[in-house]
Amino acid sequence: MLSRRPTRAIATSVGAGALVAAMAFGIAPAHADPADDARFLDIVKQLNVPMESPEQAVQAGHGICDKVAAGKIEPARTVRSILGQLTASGLQKGGAVNLIWGAVDVYCPQYRSLVGR
């Protein structure tokens, strides 16, 4: 489960397009569950991650899971790669880690063990 500790200064260090880079991970599948999307959007809001739209955030969350699934043979390298892409887009490391954990928890819980949760 996500940590309840506040992630300070994320909003100030992240440009409005931070999740635009995350969108490069993939596109939300057609079978998306609105309840899962609402849970993930709550996580994004809790982390103060700027987004242009809820759809953008949902796509980023699904994209993170797509990357984890594609790289499950080498999970450590895959998670480092995702983390690097998110931090390069402006997220602080703690916020990026929590975003990854949140996406996996909501959209692909079968991969929790691959991302350290």
Side-chain angles (χ1 to χ4, degrees):
M1 200 68 189
L2 285 179
S3 167
R4 289 283 177 184
R5 68 188 161 179
T7 53
R8 294 173 281 184
I10 291 176
T12 59
S13 68
V14 180
L19 284 183
V20 172
M23 283 180 54
F25 292 128
I27 302 171
H31 56 60
D33 180 347
D36 287 344
D37 294 346
R39 282 183 52 217
F40 186 68
L41 291 172
D42 285 343
I43 291 167
V44 170
K45 184 177 178 180
Q46 175 186 350
L47 294 173
N48 294 318
V49 176
M51 60 180 158
E52 292 181 16
S53 70
E55 294 80 15
Q56 179 191 47
V58 168
Q59 287 177 347
H62 284 286
I64 289 169
C65 281
D66 291 345
K67 283 285 193 184
V68 172
K72 64 185 172 189
I73 293 174
E74 295 186 68
R77 179 180 291 183
T78 300
V79 172
R80 280 193 307 271
S81 173
I82 297 167
L83 183 60
Q85 290 177 336
L86 290 171
T87 56
S89 73
L91 280 175
Q92 291 182 351
K93 185 176 180 180
V97 167
N98 283 330
L99 189 66
I100 293 167
W101 284 337
V104 170
D105 189 51
V106 172
Y107 293 122
C108 53
Q110 70 273 25
Y111 298 132
R112 283 183 188 136
S113 65
L114 300 180
V115 297
R117 288 264 174 143

